[in-house]
Amino acid sequence: MSLEQKNDLINWWNEQSFAGKELFTLDENGTLTLRSTGNLKERVVANLSAENADFLLRNLHEKFSAAELKFKELEAEWNAAEDKLKLADKVGHQKEYLQHVNAVGDFSKLIAPVAEWEKTVNELMDANYALKLKLAELAESVADSVNWKDAAQTLRDVAEKWKQTGHVDKFRNDKLWNRIEVARKTFHERKRLHHEEEEKDLLVNLDLKIDLVEQAESIANSTDWKNTTEVYHRLTDEWKTIGHTLNKKNEELWQRFLA
């Protein structure tokens, strides 16, 4: 580009007038730049020449009109929405779009409201995150509990309240849910092992009680009244020291012992 063409381009730019022009700069090489301001990042919008400047600027204005239309559509949705978090993704996409679209116009009147919407969304998400964090901590607090019934109910309540808690960004949401899942799996694995051990104890106790019943039955017809009575007292005391066994078998054996 010759010096004369460069001067023509700068003079042409100085003659232009439109809303938001102060946000842009044009250097002598024709590089049109949107300056960093507020929530906008600096970026090159176009490369102009004396020959294509009018055409490209007109095209860039049209692209801004399209961006403005997208903004107004989202603005109407935002104002009408009761649950602002449902628009979280759209707000994010709108911000990203405004950061990259090659257009010329008053970007400040678009990006400022979007930044406020994003702030509101983040505040609501942070509040929901705090609620979900408490649920994760509650789940972890009962993972090592031996109060099996109450702990199991607590974990069911945590899952139900989680469904009722509002939206949180996927990264933080998944991280908290994974903590709950780890706590839940830890608890249920401990409960399973406990029941296995409990069942083993029940079977051991069953064998012990069967042995006592068989001893009692073996001397049922004895006429050695004194010694037999002492044996029955001893067997009864032993029965009391043995823990519980399977309900049905326990009653059945006790009736045999009494008989």
Side-chain angles (χ1 to χ4, degrees), residues 199 202-203 205-206 244-251:
E199 187 172 351
L202 291 176
L203 293 175
N205 292 341
L206 178 62
H244 194 63
T245 187
L246 304 175
N247 286 331
K248 185 176 180 180
K249 288 292 184 180
N250 193 72
E251 182 60 27

Side-chain angles (χ1 to χ4, degrees), residues 213-235:
V213 170
E214 289 176 346
Q215 289 184 55
E217 289 175 337
S218 71
I219 59 173
N221 296 321
S222 172
T223 57
D224 186 354
W225 312 115
K226 182 179 179 181
N227 289 332
T228 302
T229 299
E230 290 177 357
V231 171
Y232 274 126
H233 283 311
R234 177 179 60 78
L235 294 176

Side-chain angles (χ1 to χ4, degrees), residues 170-200:
K170 188 176 186 306
F171 175 77
R172 291 192 296 175
N173 191 80
D174 289 351
K175 193 172 182 180
L176 288 180
W177 180 248
N178 286 339
R179 286 173 61 178
I180 292 175
E181 280 291 278
V182 169
R184 186 184 65 80
K185 289 178 181 178
T186 298
F187 171 77
H188 286 296
E189 178 62 14
R190 290 181 54 254
K191 184 179 179 183
R192 182 185 67 78
L193 293 174
H194 169 75
H195 285 166
E196 284 183 359
E197 290 301 317
E198 191 175 56
E199 187 172 351
K200 289 177 183 178

Side-chain angles (χ1 to χ4, degrees), residues 5 11 22 36 73 76 96 98 103 108 117 124 159 174 183 202 209 238 240 242 253 257:
Q5 288 174 319
N11 290 333
E22 69 280 2
S36 175
E73 289 174 351
E96 191 68 14
L98 292 177
S108 60
W117 300 343
L124 292 172
D174 289 351
L202 291 176
K209 288 188 174 182
E238 286 186 34
K240 293 177 181 178
I242 299 172
L253 290 172
F257 188 84

Side-chain angles (χ1 to χ4, degrees), residues 5-47:
Q5 288 174 319
K6 291 179 180 180
N7 289 334
D8 288 344
L9 190 58
I10 295 300
N11 290 333
W12 169 86
W13 175 251
N14 291 335
E15 292 172 358
Q16 302 305 309
S17 178
F18 56 87
K21 182 183 177 183
E22 69 280 2
L23 301 176
F24 297 85
T25 59
L26 181 70
D27 66 21
E28 61 179 12
N29 294 315
T31 302
L32 182 61
T33 303
L34 173 60
R35 296 185 300 174
S36 175
T37 176
N39 292 286
L40 286 170
K41 298 177 182 177
E42 181 175 311
R43 67 177 185 270
V44 174
V45 173
N47 290 295

